[in-house]
Amino acid sequence: MNDLINFKIDGIQVEAKKGETILSVARKNGIYIPTMCYISKTTPCASCRMCVVEAKDVNGFVLSCNTPPIEGIEITTNSKELENERINIMKLYDVNHPLECGVCDKSGECDLQNKTLEFGVAQQNFTARDQARKIEHWGLINYDPSLCILCEKCVHVCNEVIGDDAIDVKFGGYSSTIIPKNADTLDCTFCGECIAVCPVGALVSSNFQYSANAWELRRVPATCAHCSAGCSLEYETKYSGIDNGFESIFRVKNNFEFTSLCGAGRFGFDFENRALKDENAFVKAVDALKNAKAIRFSSMITNEEAHILQLLKEKLGIQLFNEDARKFQEFMNSYSSVSGKKHHSGSLDAIKQADAIIVIGTRIATDNPGVRYAITTARKHNGAKIVYAHPLEDALLQNTVTQFMKYEVGTEEGVLALLANAILQEADLSDAERAFFNELDLGYLEAESNIGHEEILQMMKSFSRAKNRILIIGNDLIAHDRALNIAKLAALIEKYTTFSLVVVPNEVNTLGVSLIAELDKDEDIIDVVGYNARGNFLISSLKFANLAVPALNQQEGTFVSIDNRVLPTNVSVSFDGYTLNDLASACGINSKNTIDYTSMLNPKSGFKNLNFDSLENYLSPLGDDVRGYLLDEVECSISGELESIEDLPEFNGTVIYNSNPVLQFNAYTNIAKQLEKDTALRGSAQFAACAKISDGDRVEIRFGSKMITRDFKLDNNLKGTIALNPTFDDVVDASRYRFEKSKIMRVVHE
């Protein structure tokens, strides 16, 4: 059966798939139809009417953005009548629109400017009484209603992609305006996507406003360095002085037509390190490396740096410590022992296309906003059923999740066993695998985990007609004491069902490091060099380093994203000090440039023998991701066997969950000037009563041998006796299992 629809656009024979519109087919075939309100990643706004076309034997104009073609229809995109219609639309858009283009942030890249010139609007035939319109200041975002053309792009992207649903249109004819939804001021995650999609200068960055013109800025294509989603972005830079000035990042932009950025990616860009070469510090660093027993490093590095560290391990005979990447490495090795392959099968695009999704072991809205946006897209566009399994509800997902499964802290192994048992009921398992499930004590697992049989049945019923299913696993499972068995259960689900699997790495390059470095279990020993991590001698792009090195926005190199894609990033602003490659050269590992190692990355992990300069870094006009390359799939031997489920642990009393607030990820977002730095311990009234503390109290939190001090804030969105404790200020090891049994003490000042 042929599902393709054949028709003509401007006499050209074209084909359409089910669900495609006239506009999308035209774009696919390189046929231009003007638009003002259309964005590929949302449903059509259908408010500008610029995209009207003529259809043979159809009276009136047709909106190409939301009209599917029919077999044999003939479409005309240009005629005298269409041109007059579009000119009149532009004249209406230009009514009383302020003409201060010289100071408008959008000047030089403004859709209204471009279309006014395109259609030759040289005079105004329409008038309307001007309105007094108050400029709104919404924190990181300013809104000027006098510049707004009510295209509704911002509303659609906020609701359909981001999931905040924080803005709306207040209709009132010529007085219509954009307003915060159900609030007096803007209450959202401040991703800034509304700024990105705004075709004029109505929504702008408050920090960037009036600081530079679009044509003055140099654009540097790069990859976001804050989480593992691997979001595409452009750093826009400019020299901030004439004589003794230096180049600075003025703003970050994204290809909003197809991609999105969270607020950390958009506003948390100023984490570069300014340093000159300090020869004395360099000599000491080389000496420290040669006499070290180990190098401890974070996953906030490039693949090339990880490769250099591996070479240093081999050259100097030392250990490499990175618990974040090591635990991920062990998890994926255990997964491979059952799946027979090295890499998980899912991706962000697969999540967007899904109609059934399970999310477990992650507070995904803040852990990885890229995954959140993909889930929101699936829900809004496909009607996907979203099951969110976690001990804590998340208010940021209230418009997205269709079923919340609240399980007890620490019971993740039992919960995944229950899910796998239900999902794999009809699967063609081996005798040993079927025996494992037959021997499960379901009553015990349900009672101890708090996941009832009815909840499982509800999930299975909602998934019954789903075709594209995704299982998303977060760091709570990767860092769990029973992570290896959990990995095998996840592998079984992927292996025997239509579920794809996405494992969410903790840091920007956790996955890449795990594929490159031979990591040792971290021992709390002395004579350790810290590379962007703690140690006796610190080599870091952060403050208080013994030797300064460049931050990730000052480097060329690659990361491996959640999609198993090797992504290039570029130097946005220069660094005048030493690099890890300089240190390696002094230790006898010689290479002129760090990126010379790009083609040498471990082929046994799926890396290709490609030079850095051969890697593309752009999205095609149709949104195809042409950045870098996908890792080759690597076959692994199947030798893993499921272990019996251990007794599920109990976490009684006050428990903290190490989870960052919106817009914060690590020590680098912590130094970004525009991002809020809320370091409070947040808990419910129930938690406060259990801990015998009150809103505003200064408290000591003790877990194990660790003690930290926080201010306590009541949070009405939280329930139960679990409080949220941030890690971005670097006081807690983020690679640990994130739930901690804790003792809370109020600090009493004499």
Side-chain angles (χ1 to χ4, degrees):
M1 181 178 177
N2 188 5
D3 293 329
L4 295 177
I5 300 165
N6 295 281
F7 69 109
K8 290 183 178 180
I9 303 178
D10 294 339
I12 301 171
Q13 191 70 40
V14 295
E15 293 179 336
K17 298 177 182 177
K18 183 179 179 182
E20 289 187 316
T21 63
I22 294 169
L23 177 61
S24 62
V25 175
R27 288 188 170 188
K28 191 168 65 175
N29 287 274
I31 301 170
Y32 174 66
I33 298 175
T35 64
M36 186 71 78
C37 71
Y38 184 78
I39 324 174
S40 297
K41 65 186 180 186
T42 70
T43 56
C45 302
S47 65
C48 75
R49 301 192 64 82
M50 288 290 292
C51 71
V52 289
V53 295
E54 293 176 339
K56 188 176 181 180
D57 299 327
V58 175
N59 292 327
F61 297 133
V62 174
L63 284 177
S64 64
C65 69
N66 66 358
T67 305
I70 60 173
E71 184 70 29
I73 194 76
E74 295 183 17
I75 300 298
T76 300
T77 67
N78 279 297
S79 68
K80 188 63 178 176
E81 291 75 19
L82 285 170
E83 183 178 1
N84 288 336
E85 175 76 2
R86 290 166 182 161
I87 289 172
N88 285 331
I89 290 171
M90 287 312 305
K91 288 180 178 179
L92 288 170
Y93 270 134
D94 288 334
V95 168
N96 289 345
H97 192 90
L99 299 177
E100 294 89 353
C101 295
V103 296
C104 179
D105 285 328
K106 206 70 177 183
S107 185
E109 54 183 11
C110 172
D111 279 0
L112 191 69
Q113 256 183 1
N114 294 339
K115 295 293 192 302
T116 298
L117 292 171
E118 178 182 345
F119 292 104
V121 179
Q123 64 183 29
Q124 182 57 272
N125 303 103
F126 306 117
T127 61
R129 178 176 293 178
D130 207 355
Q131 305 276 334
R133 302 176 190 266
K134 178 187 174 185
I135 296 176
E136 301 289 346
H137 300 284
W138 294 328
L140 296 175
I141 300 167
N142 288 344
Y143 172 60
D144 187 345
S146 68
L147 296 175
C148 183
I149 62 172
L150 274 297
C151 66
E152 300 182 39
K153 281 183 176 181
C154 56
V155 176
H156 278 252
V157 77
C158 185
N159 179 29
E160 296 180 28
V161 178
I162 305 304
D164 284 356
D165 198 19
I167 52 179
D168 207 350
V169 180
K170 179 183 178 182
F171 291 103
Y174 188 60
S175 300
S176 297
T177 186
I178 300 295
I179 59 171
K181 190 170 185 178
N182 303 322
D184 294 328
T185 189
L186 190 60
D187 181 17
C188 67
T189 58
F190 286 97
C191 65
E193 197 68 10
C194 56
I195 295 172
V197 303
C198 183
V200 291
L203 287 160
V204 296
S205 162
S206 57
N207 179 74
F208 175 79
Q209 193 168 27
Y210 305 136
S211 64
N213 295 116
W215 56 85
E216 298 177 285
L217 299 171
R218 180 177 71 97
R219 293 186 176 183
V220 181
T223 299
C224 184
H226 291 321
C227 83
S228 58
C231 297
S232 171
L233 56 75
E234 288 181 334
Y235 293 113
E236 294 202 328
T237 68
K238 175 187 171 185
Y239 277 92
S240 55
I242 298 175
D243 296 324
N244 298 315
F246 49 82
E247 196 168 21
S248 298
I249 302 170
F250 272 59
R251 67 175 173 182
V252 164
K253 295 181 69 177
N254 62 309
N255 186 333
F256 63 82
E257 189 77 26
F258 305 105
T259 68
S260 301
L261 277 181
C262 76
R266 192 178 310 281
F267 301 116
F269 52 76
D270 52 336
F271 56 89
E272 72 273 7
N273 193 16
R274 304 285 183 181
L276 299 174
K277 288 187 176 179
D278 184 336
E279 292 187 18
N280 184 49
F282 180 77
V283 171
K284 290 181 178 179
V286 173
D287 185 62
L289 283 170
K290 290 181 176 179
N291 290 286
K293 293 179 181 177
I295 299 173
R296 180 181 291 113
F297 67 104
S298 82
S299 300
M300 300 293 293
I301 64 173
T302 64
N303 292 319
E304 291 73 16
E305 289 177 290
H307 183 77
I308 292 172
L309 291 175
Q310 177 62 30
L311 293 177
L312 284 169
K313 173 188 172 106
E314 296 166 4
K315 178 78 174 180
L316 303 175
I318 59 178
Q319 298 184 86
L320 284 183
F321 296 157
N322 182 325
E323 285 298 279
D324 163 56
R326 186 185 68 82
K327 289 179 178 180
F328 189 89
Q329 187 179 73
E330 289 188 343
F331 186 91
M332 293 307 295
N333 286 342
S334 184
Y335 155 85
S336 298
S337 72
V338 170
S339 69
K341 56 194 185 71
K342 195 149 189 85
H343 310 305
H344 63 246
S345 60
S347 65
L348 291 175
D349 189 59
I351 296 172
K352 293 175 186 177
Q353 304 302 321
D355 50 12
I357 300 172
I358 300 173
V359 186
I360 180 170
T362 170
R363 197 167 174 85
I364 200 65
T366 48
D367 287 350
N368 197 303
V371 176
R372 178 203 176 189
Y373 302 158
I375 293 171
T376 303
T377 299
R379 176 64 189 150
K380 299 292 184 178
H381 293 184
N382 310 332
K385 305 299 182 184
I386 316 293
V387 173
Y388 178 65
H390 201 266
L392 289 167
E393 291 187 72
D394 190 342
L396 292 178
L397 298 176
Q398 63 184 357
N399 297 325
T400 307
V401 169
T402 56
Q403 183 182 355
F404 173 55
M405 287 188 179
K406 182 182 185 301
Y407 60 79
E408 295 296 322
V409 174
T411 64
E412 286 86 354
E413 183 187 21
V415 174
L416 200 61
L418 288 171
L419 295 175
N421 179 66
I423 292 168
L424 296 168
Q425 280 294 319
E426 306 299 325
D428 186 19
L429 303 178
S430 69
D431 291 342
E433 291 162 346
R434 181 55 67 192
F436 168 84
F437 288 105
N438 289 338
E439 292 169 6
L440 286 178
D441 187 343
L442 299 179
Y444 167 77
L445 296 179
E446 290 169 359
E448 294 300 311
S449 69
N450 198 38
I451 298 295
H453 182 59
E454 297 77 10
E455 292 181 89
I456 301 291
L457 289 179
Q458 179 186 342
M459 179 192 75
M460 295 303 294
K461 183 178 179 181
S462 68
F463 284 7
S464 60
R465 296 185 180 181
K467 296 180 180 178
N468 301 316
R469 309 178 189 196
I470 297 282
L471 171 62
I472 301 172
I473 282 180
N475 200 60
D476 298 353
L477 276 63
I478 298 166
H480 197 280
D481 286 343
R482 298 289 294 166
L484 302 188
N485 210 39
I486 291 172
K488 293 172 186 176
L489 288 167
L492 279 183
I493 293 173
E494 182 193 51
K495 183 177 181 179
Y496 288 110
T497 72
T498 58
F499 274 87
S500 295
L501 178 67
V502 173
V503 184
V504 182
N506 194 39
E507 301 280 12
V508 62
N509 203 26
T510 300
L511 178 50
V513 172
S514 74
L515 295 173
I516 294 168
E518 296 173 11
L519 300 169
D520 303 288
K521 184 174 177 58
D522 197 339
E523 303 166 1
D524 200 9
I525 59 175
I526 59 173
D527 297 328
V528 174
V529 171
Y531 188 69
N532 291 323
R534 61 185 177 88
N536 305 108
F537 189 96
L538 297 181
I539 302 170
S540 177
S541 53
L542 295 165
K543 287 183 178 180
F544 311 117
N546 298 108
L547 179 70
V549 290
L552 285 178
N553 56 2
Q554 298 172 290
Q555 295 190 56
E556 283 184 311
T558 58
F559 309 132
V560 182
S561 74
I562 196 173
D563 288 346
N564 293 309
R565 182 175 285 274
V566 180
L567 298 172
T569 193
N570 291 294
V571 175
S572 62
V573 290
S574 62
F575 178 76
D576 297 322
Y578 290 102
T579 67
L580 180 62
N581 189 49
D582 295 327
L583 291 167
S585 295
C587 293
I589 302 167
N590 295 306
S591 181
K592 183 178 180 181
N593 301 303
T594 301
I595 56 172
D596 293 340
Y597 292 109
T598 304
S599 61
M600 305 179 195
L601 299 176
N602 188 4
K604 293 181 180 179
S605 293
F607 290 98
K608 301 178 190 293
N609 181 22
L610 295 174
N611 294 322
F612 178 83
D613 290 335
S614 70
L615 302 180
E616 301 287 3
N617 196 353
Y618 68 94
L619 272 68
S620 78
L622 297 177
D624 299 319
D625 196 342
V626 195
R627 299 177 298 151
Y629 63 87
L630 283 172
L631 290 169
D632 289 333
E633 187 51 81
V634 178
E635 292 186 0
C636 303
S637 61
I638 299 177
S639 56
E641 295 181 0
L642 288 166
E643 300 174 9
S644 299
I645 305 298
E646 284 196 350
D647 290 345
L648 303 185
E650 293 184 3
F651 281 65
N652 298 317
T654 52
V655 176
I656 63 168
Y657 182 57
N658 295 316
S659 176
N660 283 318
V662 172
L663 304 189
Q664 288 291 349
F665 291 92
N666 47 54
Y668 296 94
T669 53
N670 188 29
I671 62 176
K673 294 181 181 64
Q674 294 186 72
L675 304 185
E676 183 181 0
K677 298 165 182 63
D678 183 0
T679 59
L681 177 73
R682 291 183 170 271
S684 66
Q686 185 179 349
F687 178 90
C690 186
K692 298 180 181 179
I693 56 177
S694 302
D695 185 40
D697 280 351
R698 188 75 172 167
V699 299
E700 289 182 351
I701 310 167
R702 296 179 182 272
F703 45 92
S705 60
K706 185 82 174 178
M707 192 277 285
I708 59 176
T709 305
R710 297 284 194 204
D711 290 327
F712 177 71
K713 287 185 181 179
L714 279 175
D715 191 328
N716 294 327
N717 291 318
L718 295 175
K719 300 175 183 177
T721 56
I722 303 172
L724 299 178
N725 179 56
T727 63
F728 69 90
D729 55 349
D730 218 21
V731 298
V732 178
D733 181 2
S735 68
R736 296 165 57 95
Y737 180 62
R738 293 164 65 182
F739 290 97
E740 303 269 10
K741 297 178 182 179
S742 63
K743 184 177 181 181
I744 312 292
M745 297 283 292
R746 184 166 64 89
V747 177
V748 179
H749 298 286
E750 297 273 336

